[in-house]
């Protein structure tokens, strides 16, 4: 198998057939030794029936159904574990990632790179989606001390050894773009066109985006813990300055009601600070608890054309 195309499928019953058709048109020009791996991630619509239909008609299409919704990046991991190609393309199912860019990505990779990220020139997303994405990547870059690009998502082409390295990572929280950045290897970026969604709307609500961002920051960095140490030092310095200020007011007879304001402010402020720091520590302990249980990131229910 020379080339595998992996796509997680969610709320895509109307576009599965078009997705497969466009991938065929793009990839068949490169090689006959390819496969299309569609991973249905517990979608509430009839996406699995659509996958079953195309699998019956086309043996190059392989269908995978997860036992429930595990999330986009867990679905990508399931597809990567099954894909057999020397080169593997990962793309979303909504056709915003254009299949006709696959030959260009492969050509770039064959010029001496092990992974090539598709860099969206003009994102065809709503204002708030683009704003939230830029904000997430800026915060994520700062908290992980890495350089992240908001124009890069899942779409790209990856050599087998890159995918094997990504699969070997034991992280319970999966985030494909960051994992591919972390494993290293020789990488390149290729500007590509980005289309509007063919149908439906994104399944990422603000709540899911915030949860995704928070989980990944906790998973890939301990910087929030280190920032609480800095915060604690700043608060200690603030307390010293506050104490000196109160001493000045006391010796200049400017304090009329002794002790009341300083006690209430100190108790309220430092209680909140302590609870905040304990909360950060508790979150990391909770994620550690989830990790040590070593539960699988996904469970496969059915497979077709294997």
């Amino acid at each position: 198998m020379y080339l595998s195309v992996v796509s997680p499928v969610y709320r895509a019953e109307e576009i599965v057939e078009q997705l497969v058709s466009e991938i065929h048109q793009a990839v068949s020009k490169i090689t006959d030794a390819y496969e299309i791996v569609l991973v249905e991630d517990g979608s509430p619509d009839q996406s699995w029936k659509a996958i079953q239909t195309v699998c019956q008609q086309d043996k190059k299409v392989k269908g995978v159904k997860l036992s429930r919704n595990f999330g986009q990046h867990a679905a990508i991991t399931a597809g990567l574990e099954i894909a057999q190609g020397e080169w593997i393309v990962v793309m979303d199912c909504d056709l915003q990632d254009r299949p006709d860019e696959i030959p260009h990505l492969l050509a770039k990779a064959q010029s001496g790179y092990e992974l090539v990220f598709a860099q969206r020139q003009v994102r065809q997303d709503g204002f708030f989606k683009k704003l939230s994405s830029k904000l997430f990547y800026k915060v994520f870059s700062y908290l992980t001390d890495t350089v992240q690009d908001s124009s890069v998502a899942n779409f790209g082409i990856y050599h087998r050894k890159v995918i094997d390295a990504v699969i070997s990572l034991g992280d319970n929280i999966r985030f494909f773009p960051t994992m591919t950045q972390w494993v290293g290897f020789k990488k390149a970026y290729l500007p590509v066109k980005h289309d509007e969604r063919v149908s439906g709307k994104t399944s990422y609500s603000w709540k899911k985006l915030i949860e995704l961002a928070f989980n990944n920051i906790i998973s890939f960095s301990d910087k929030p813990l280190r920032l609480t140490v800095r915060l604690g030092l700043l608060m200690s310095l603030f307390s010293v300055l506050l104490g000196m200020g109160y001493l000045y007011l006391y010796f200049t007879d400017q304090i009329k009601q002794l002790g009341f304001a300083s006690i209430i402010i100190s108790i309220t402020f430092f209680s909140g600070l302590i609870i905040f720091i304990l909360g950060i520590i508790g979150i990391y302990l909770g994620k550690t608890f989830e990790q040590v249980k070593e539960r699988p990131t996904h469970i496969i229910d059915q497979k077709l054309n294997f």
Side-chain angles (χ1 to χ4, degrees):
M1 190 68 65
Y2 182 65
L3 183 67
S4 298
V5 180
V6 174
S7 182
V9 176
Y10 189 80
R11 293 186 183 273
E13 59 178 323
E14 298 177 0
I15 56 176
V16 166
E17 187 175 346
Q18 182 181 349
L19 171 68
V20 170
S21 175
E22 292 193 16
I23 292 174
H24 275 312
Q25 291 176 22
V27 178
S28 60
K29 300 174 184 176
I30 305 170
T31 178
D32 288 330
Y34 69 92
E35 63 181 354
I36 302 171
V37 182
L38 303 179
V39 184
E40 195 269 352
D41 185 28
S43 181
D45 63 0
Q46 300 299 314
S47 292
W48 179 241
K49 285 189 176 180
I51 293 173
Q52 287 177 312
T53 300
V54 295
C55 284
Q56 289 171 359
Q57 299 169 353
D58 188 348
K59 296 306 178 183
K60 283 189 177 293
V61 181
K62 298 180 179 180
V64 179
K65 178 177 173 58
L66 301 186
S67 61
R68 64 171 177 84
N69 177 246
F70 286 90
Q72 182 187 34
H73 299 280
I76 290 173
T77 301
L80 297 179
E81 291 176 352
I82 287 170
Q84 300 176 6
E86 179 186 351
W87 290 97
I88 298 174
V89 173
V90 176
M91 62 183 297
D92 293 343
C93 69
D94 55 15
L95 288 173
Q96 287 191 280
D97 297 335
R98 296 168 57 107
D100 60 5
E101 296 285 0
I102 293 175
H104 304 145
L105 290 168
L106 181 59
K108 181 72 173 178
Q110 289 176 331
S111 65
Y113 300 98
E114 280 120 2
L115 61 166
V116 179
F117 298 105
Q119 201 168 35
R120 297 165 290 185
Q121 290 178 300
V122 181
R123 290 188 60 177
Q124 301 299 320
D125 291 316
F127 172 76
F128 288 106
K129 178 72 178 294
K130 290 188 283 189
L131 178 64
S132 62
S133 179
K134 286 184 178 180
L135 181 62
F136 163 69
Y137 280 104
K138 282 187 178 296
V139 174
F140 193 76
S141 297
Y142 171 71
L143 290 178
T144 57
D145 293 323
T146 59
V147 179
Q148 302 291 332
D149 188 347
S150 63
S151 67
V152 174
N154 302 316
F155 192 26
I157 190 166
Y158 312 89
H159 191 268
R160 177 83 257 168
K161 64 182 179 181
V162 176
I163 295 303
D164 288 342
V166 169
I167 293 172
S168 71
L169 298 179
D171 299 47
N172 181 262
I173 297 173
R174 314 293 290 186
F175 189 57
F176 184 69
T178 306
M179 297 174 92
T180 51
Q181 292 276 4
W182 187 89
V183 296
F185 299 103
K186 193 173 182 181
K187 66 189 71 173
Y189 296 84
L190 182 70
V192 300
K193 294 179 181 178
H194 190 240
D195 281 351
E196 295 183 0
R197 293 180 67 90
V198 172
S199 67
K201 60 180 182 179
T202 179
S203 59
Y204 278 107
S205 62
W206 275 97
K207 180 181 177 182
K208 286 186 177 180
L209 285 171
I210 293 171
E211 183 179 354
L212 176 69
F214 190 78
N215 283 337
N216 281 287
I217 288 169
I218 296 298
S219 176
F220 285 92
S221 173
D222 65 349
K223 194 169 183 178
L225 285 175
R226 288 184 277 122
L227 288 176
T228 60
V229 175
R230 295 183 187 179
L231 182 61
L233 292 174
L234 287 174
M235 291 304 100
S236 298
L237 177 60
F238 174 76
S239 301
V240 171
L241 296 175
L242 187 65
M244 294 173 64
Y246 273 120
L247 283 173
Y248 171 78
L249 294 175
Y250 174 77
F251 287 115
T252 55
D253 294 326
Q254 297 182 49
I255 295 179
K256 304 301 180 185
Q257 187 67 38
L258 297 178
F260 178 78
S262 59
I263 290 174
I264 296 299
I265 292 172
S266 298
I267 290 175
T268 304
F269 182 79
F270 289 106
S271 295
L273 180 63
I274 291 169
I275 293 171
F276 171 76
I277 294 174
L278 287 176
I280 294 281
I281 296 171
I283 289 168
Y284 274 94
L285 285 174
K287 296 301 178 185
T288 303
F289 173 67
E290 292 294 326
Q291 183 70 32
V292 298
K293 287 189 289 187
E294 296 185 348
R295 288 179 178 174
T297 59
H298 59 274
I299 298 172
I300 295 176
D301 180 19
Q302 298 179 51
K303 294 193 290 185
L304 300 174
N305 287 349
F306 286 90

